[in-house]
Structures are given as C-alpha cells and as structure tokens.
Amino acid sequence: MTRRWRDAVLPTIGLVAAAVAVSWTITFSVPVVVPTASDTADVAFGWPLPWYHQDLSRFAYADHPVEVTVVGDRTDPVPTSVDWLAFSGNVALTALVLWPIALVLIRGLARLVLRARENDAPTGET
C-alpha cells in the first residue's frame, strides 16, 4: 500500500466509523413523538432519514402524543424492519458534518503539538 493511498484511506475509514457510531446512537437514544394510537403501528426512528421501523401497536399508551424510544426486548421482540439504504444515507450525511469538525480539531491539535515541540527545543544557551 502506497503512503499516498494509505493517507487517504485510513482517515476515511475513521470518519465512516465515527459517522456510523453517531447515526446508531442518535437512532437508539433520541425519542420519537407518536401523535396518534394508529401511528404506533409503524414508528420510524433515525434522523434525518428514518431507517429503523418498529410496530409498537401492542403497547397500550394511555395518552397521545407520546414519546417513545426503540424497544429492544429480546424475550418478546416487537416486529422491526430496517432500511439499510436510509441508514447509509444517514451515515453519509453525518460524515459530511463530522468531516469539517474533525479537520478543524486535527489541525488545531497539530498546531499545539508543533508549539510544544518548539518550546521544548534547546535554545543553544550553555
């Protein structure tokens, strides 16, 4: 693997991994508002593109609208469908947002490291 190719691929892999983690975390931690009882039959999670759909109609919510999060019951799972194309779109959009942020942070960190090296360099005084 040439150095030039490696210098492009490794940061891209890191960026995609971070985007997957952020998209996954948003989907499983941000609640969704369900306005009516009939809407519980297909609750869509994921932002900005809904990609994780669950049928939560078996739960009798007393009041609507209601905030719900992803149900992860392993003993009695709810019907779930996943739209991997929409998830890929979320990952791409998240990566587009993370890329300039990571670039600014990396450049700032590089400047701090260079300044620290310059301050630690011997001045030639005896």
Side-chain angles (χ1 to χ4, degrees):
M1 175 182 323
T2 65
R3 178 173 168 80
R4 186 177 197 186
W5 191 76
R6 185 175 12 128
D7 288 346
V9 170
L10 292 178
T12 303
I13 291 171
L15 181 64
V16 170
V20 166
V22 169
S23 296
W24 192 271
T25 301
I26 287 172
T27 300
F28 285 85
S29 62
V30 174
V32 172
V33 176
V34 180
T36 65
S38 62
D39 290 332
T40 59
D42 182 26
V43 181
F45 299 94
W47 187 86
L49 305 172
W51 64 276
Y52 196 84
H53 301 266
Q54 288 190 317
D55 180 359
L56 303 179
S57 58
R58 75 175 182 196
F59 300 108
Y61 297 106
D63 295 322
H64 285 280
V66 63
E67 280 190 354
V68 296
T69 56
V70 172
V71 175
D73 188 6
R74 291 189 181 272
T75 58
D76 189 16
V78 296
T80 301
S81 64
V82 177
D83 181 357
W84 291 109
L85 184 61
F87 177 68
S88 299
N90 278 349
V91 170
L93 291 170
T94 303
L96 284 174
V97 171
L98 290 178
W99 178 58
I101 294 169
L103 189 62
V104 167
L105 290 174
I106 290 170
R107 285 189 178 170
L109 183 60
R111 286 186 186 130
L112 287 174
V113 168
L114 288 175
R115 281 191 202 138
R117 283 186 182 170
E118 289 172 359
N119 291 339
D120 290 343
T123 57
E125 296 178 15
T126 56

